[in-house]
Amino acid sequence: VISADSRQCYQELNIGVAKPSLQQLNDIPHYFINTHHITETVTAADFEHYALGIAADLFAAHDVIVMAGGTGLYINAFAQGMDNIPAVPAFVRDNIKKEVKEGGFAWLKAALEAEDSNYSQKGDMHNPQRMMRALEVIRQTGTSILDFQKGQKKNRDFNIIYLGIETERQELYQRIEHRVDEMILQGLVAEVNALRPYSELNAMKTVGYTEILDYLSGKITLPEAIKLVKQHTRNYAKRQVTWFKKNPNVSWMALEDIFSYATQYAIKK
């Protein structure tokens, strides 16, 4: 299994990212799990390069491999390729992060409107990470990131079958409620507390961690933090469904049907 999760690759994040258990990792080989330190920057382009290399090795011994996870951008990078956007020096990125920390989202929005009107009019002005990336590129190259994003699909030498797990909204939300409660019982607060020295890193800007950090900082109570984790997880799940629903190649089915389909496909192959 190749994980397409942008957070499970970090060694230090465990409970809050619902990482597979040690038993599960021992039973079935997983890739892109625990591959990076929390201080490392990992991009969709990094994932594309990594996953294609692993896939090539696995296809030498297997007819079918599985990629699982909910980071749509990573899955798109693997399946269709990434646009070639110039690299940006670390100091440019660090300066922007510093300015965002001081001025907040309002500063970031205003900076993009002033420096990259093309992106501010056509790009995603609700996602701080994408906005900072756009600001990095315009400052480094003088060209809007949108001008580099051609969206040309790359050919892969393997077939891709997209399978989506369809779950009733109420059942999905119940599972989210249960999962968050289990995370708290498993020690999420202690995990986040141990990671407080890394609180400003991008990896920590993750549902489950930001809310508990606010609790540990005295901004909110623990019950409030738990309630927010559940709410933000529901919001994220909704965005995931919206993302994948836009892909006409996804076949949506119940979990048990996916197992049956995958088994039949493997036998057929």
Side-chain angles (χ1 to χ4, degrees), residues 77 85 119 136 139 151 161 173 210 256:
I85 301 175
Y119 185 89
E136 292 173 10
R139 286 188 171 181
I161 295 178
Y173 287 174
T210 55
E256 57 271 18

Short mmCIF file of all heavy atoms in Angstrom, two decimals, residues 77 85 119 136 139 151 161 173 210 256:
data_model
loop_
_atom_site.label_atom_id
_atom_site.label_comp_id
_atom_site.label_asym_id
_atom_site.label_seq_id
_atom_site.Cartn_x
_atom_site.Cartn_y
_atom_site.Cartn_z
N ALA A 77 -0.96 14.26 -8.43
CA ALA A 77 0.44 14.36 -8.82
C ALA A 77 0.96 13.01 -9.30
O ALA A 77 1.69 12.93 -10.30
CB ALA A 77 1.28 14.86 -7.63
N ILE A 85 7.16 24.12 -11.72
CA ILE A 85 7.21 25.46 -11.13
C ILE A 85 8.61 25.66 -10.55
O ILE A 85 9.11 24.80 -9.82
CB ILE A 85 6.14 25.60 -10.04
CG1 ILE A 85 4.74 25.36 -10.65
CG2 ILE A 85 6.21 26.97 -9.39
CD1 ILE A 85 3.62 25.35 -9.65
N TYR A 119 -3.43 36.02 -9.59
CA TYR A 119 -3.78 34.97 -8.63
C TYR A 119 -4.90 35.43 -7.70
O TYR A 119 -5.81 34.66 -7.38
CB TYR A 119 -2.58 34.54 -7.79
CG TYR A 119 -2.89 33.37 -6.89
CD1 TYR A 119 -2.73 32.07 -7.32
CD2 TYR A 119 -3.40 33.57 -5.60
CE1 TYR A 119 -3.05 30.98 -6.51
CE2 TYR A 119 -3.73 32.50 -4.79
CZ TYR A 119 -3.55 31.22 -5.26
OH TYR A 119 -3.90 30.15 -4.45
N GLU A 136 5.37 33.25 -2.87
CA GLU A 136 6.77 32.83 -3.04
C GLU A 136 7.17 32.91 -4.51
O GLU A 136 8.23 33.45 -4.85
CB GLU A 136 6.95 31.38 -2.57
CG GLU A 136 6.80 31.12 -1.11
CD GLU A 136 6.83 29.63 -0.81
OE1 GLU A 136 7.16 28.85 -1.74
OE2 GLU A 136 6.52 29.22 0.32
N ARG A 139 7.34 36.47 -6.05
CA ARG A 139 8.48 37.23 -5.55
C ARG A 139 9.80 36.71 -6.12
O ARG A 139 10.73 37.48 -6.36
CB ARG A 139 8.51 37.19 -4.02
CG ARG A 139 7.45 38.05 -3.37
CD ARG A 139 7.62 38.16 -1.87
NE ARG A 139 6.71 39.15 -1.30
CZ ARG A 139 6.66 39.46 -0.01
NH1 ARG A 139 7.47 38.85 0.85
NH2 ARG A 139 5.79 40.36 0.43
N GLY A 151 -1.47 22.45 -16.45
CA GLY A 151 -2.44 21.36 -16.32
C GLY A 151 -2.32 20.29 -17.38
O GLY A 151 -3.29 19.60 -17.69
N ILE A 161 -7.12 2.72 -11.66
CA ILE A 161 -8.54 2.57 -11.37
C ILE A 161 -8.84 3.32 -10.08
O ILE A 161 -8.23 3.07 -9.03
CB ILE A 161 -8.93 1.09 -11.21
CG1 ILE A 161 -8.74 0.35 -12.54
CG2 ILE A 161 -10.37 0.95 -10.74
CD1 ILE A 161 -9.04 -1.13 -12.46
N TYR A 173 -20.28 11.06 9.83
CA TYR A 173 -20.10 11.98 10.95
C TYR A 173 -20.02 11.23 12.28
O TYR A 173 -19.28 11.62 13.18
CB TYR A 173 -21.24 13.00 10.97
CG TYR A 173 -21.14 14.05 9.87
CD1 TYR A 173 -22.15 14.97 9.66
CD2 TYR A 173 -20.02 14.12 9.05
CE1 TYR A 173 -22.06 15.94 8.65
CE2 TYR A 173 -19.92 15.07 8.05
CZ TYR A 173 -20.94 15.98 7.85
OH TYR A 173 -20.83 16.93 6.86
N THR A 210 -3.86 21.76 15.72
CA THR A 210 -4.04 23.20 15.96
C THR A 210 -5.01 23.45 17.11
O THR A 210 -4.79 24.34 17.94
CB THR A 210 -4.55 23.90 14.69
OG1 THR A 210 -5.74 23.24 14.23
CG2 THR A 210 -3.51 23.85 13.59
N GLU A 256 -17.51 -2.64 1.55
CA GLU A 256 -17.49 -4.09 1.30
C GLU A 256 -17.47 -4.41 -0.19
O GLU A 256 -16.90 -5.42 -0.62
CB GLU A 256 -18.67 -4.77 1.98
CG GLU A 256 -20.04 -4.25 1.58
CD GLU A 256 -20.52 -3.10 2.45
OE1 GLU A 256 -19.67 -2.48 3.12
OE2 GLU A 256 -21.74 -2.83 2.46
#
